[in-house]
Amino acid sequence: MRNLAVVSIVFCLVLLAGLIGWTGPAKLLSALLDIPPGHVIASLLIVQVQIIASACRWRFTAGRLGHEIDLDVAIREYYVSSALNLVLPGGMAGDAVRAYRSRNEGKGGWKRPAAAVFLERLSGQAAFFLLSCMGLLAWPNFLSARLPDHYSMLFWIVAAMLAFIVLLAVAFRKALLPERFSGLGADLSAVFWEKGAWLIQSGLSILVIGSYIATFLVASDAVGAPLPAIAAFTVIPLCLLTMLIPVGIGGWGTREAAAAALWPLFGFAGADGLAASLLYGLLCLVGAAVPGVIFIGMSLARRRIGRA
């Protein structure tokens, strides 16, 4: 398993290097250096909205499981986990750290914090997957003139495969879930349904997803490739969906490959998509990592003072 992880990381880095080499490093650097400051400031502010809304979603989820977390603690820990997710392999290491660090908040050991982190991520990924599926439905109606031949047939094949996977998971749910997760149904009900939880989860997830998409739109506009509104429901979700694949580091490589392939649908060069995706990644990294590093430094400093 470890060897497979190393191979996937190397593959994504080689893919990213190949894309940069194909575009031309000098040209790409010139595009990234010629970015309006207003776009950078707007994007960094949007990233803060994304992280704070995600922290609120995590806090709400944990509270429904009986694990109370103060708002300032939730925001601090989400910055730390977001920074780690962007620089560590797999894109989920930061979530594990968040669950571990929050085990002392409230009672019940580490099981409640781990469940809260898992269900919070599930909430976001389910909403994002739903948006991506809705976007696929919109493609034949809004982008039919730009799509390859036989796209509709390909769409229905993919839809049938997804439906088959869902049905297979439902049919074998007892075999797929270990015995220790037998009580997961009660947690799911408490987190996503009871007492209007679905309204809060939906609202926060929409805000988080909207911030992801808005950041990508601003990044693309900053490199001279302004996308139409329909891109927010079609190509951008597909680019971001590649970041959910637990390979590589922070989605680097796979996200850029998707952008380079999809931006030509709107009349831009693949290099424009690559530049937009790189800028998006850098903005998210700076927006999350800088506060995250500050919080990590403060935590380490307090620990040293406590030992003194």
Side-chain angles (χ1 to χ4, degrees):
M1 185 65 69
R2 183 175 299 177
N3 291 337
L4 182 61
V6 172
V7 170
S8 68
I9 292 171
V10 172
F11 171 78
C12 290
L13 293 177
V14 170
L15 177 62
L16 180 60
L19 289 168
I20 293 174
W22 164 69
T23 304
K27 182 180 178 181
L28 194 59
L29 182 62
S30 176
L32 293 175
L33 291 176
D34 193 26
I35 297 169
H39 286 65
V40 175
I41 295 173
S43 297
L44 293 177
L45 290 175
I46 295 172
V47 172
Q48 309 317 306
V49 173
Q50 168 207 313
I51 294 177
I52 293 173
S54 297
C56 291
R57 184 176 63 190
W58 174 43
R59 180 172 181 262
F60 173 79
T61 301
R64 285 303 179 99
L65 297 176
H67 180 70
E68 300 297 333
I69 304 174
D70 292 337
L71 181 59
D72 60 332
V73 174
I75 293 174
R76 180 193 71 200
E77 294 304 318
Y78 219 99
Y79 270 109
V80 172
S81 68
S82 296
L84 294 176
N85 279 341
L86 289 168
V87 298
L88 293 178
M92 295 182 291
D95 297 319
V97 172
R98 174 157 51 102
Y100 178 79
R101 283 169 58 92
S102 65
R103 73 195 187 282
N104 295 325
E105 301 293 329
K107 301 177 181 179
W110 62 269
K111 291 185 178 181
R112 293 291 88 185
V117 169
F118 169 73
L119 292 178
E120 183 269 327
R121 285 301 299 267
L122 177 64
S123 176
Q125 292 181 3
F128 197 84
F129 184 75
L130 179 61
L131 174 65
S132 300
C133 291
M134 292 172 62
L136 285 174
L137 290 172
W139 279 57
N141 295 321
F142 294 96
L143 302 175
S144 57
R146 305 172 184 177
L147 295 173
D149 294 337
H150 309 301
Y151 170 81
S152 58
M153 182 182 296
L154 177 62
F155 166 77
W156 288 113
I157 292 174
V158 172
M161 290 176 62
L162 291 174
F164 175 75
I165 291 171
V166 171
L167 291 174
L168 193 64
V170 171
F172 294 96
R173 62 188 182 277
K174 292 184 178 180
L176 293 173
L177 292 177
E179 185 66 27
R180 61 179 175 273
F181 289 125
S182 59
L184 189 61
D187 289 345
L188 290 172
S189 179
V191 168
F192 295 114
W193 184 252
E194 293 178 1
K195 300 178 181 178
W198 67 274
L199 282 172
I200 298 175
Q201 290 282 3
S202 299
L204 289 173
S205 291
I206 289 171
L207 182 58
V208 172
I209 293 172
S211 65
Y212 277 114
I213 292 173
T215 304
F216 222 133
L217 286 172
V218 173
S220 190
D221 187 70
V223 298
L227 294 173
I230 190 60
F233 302 97
T234 53
V235 299
I236 292 180
L238 286 184
C239 288
L240 295 174
L241 194 62
T242 63
M243 297 179 63
L244 300 181
I245 304 172
V247 298
I249 301 176
W252 295 97
T254 54
R255 182 186 61 234
E256 283 69 37
L262 293 171
W263 258 238
L265 290 175
F266 294 102
F268 300 109
D272 294 323
L274 174 60
S277 183
L278 285 173
L279 179 58
Y280 168 84
L282 291 172
L283 290 169
C284 289
L285 182 61
V286 172
V290 171
V293 169
I294 293 174
F295 284 129
I296 292 173
M298 292 172 60
S299 178
L300 292 175
R302 283 196 297 268
R303 187 172 300 176
R304 285 197 296 269
I305 292 173
R307 291 175 179 175

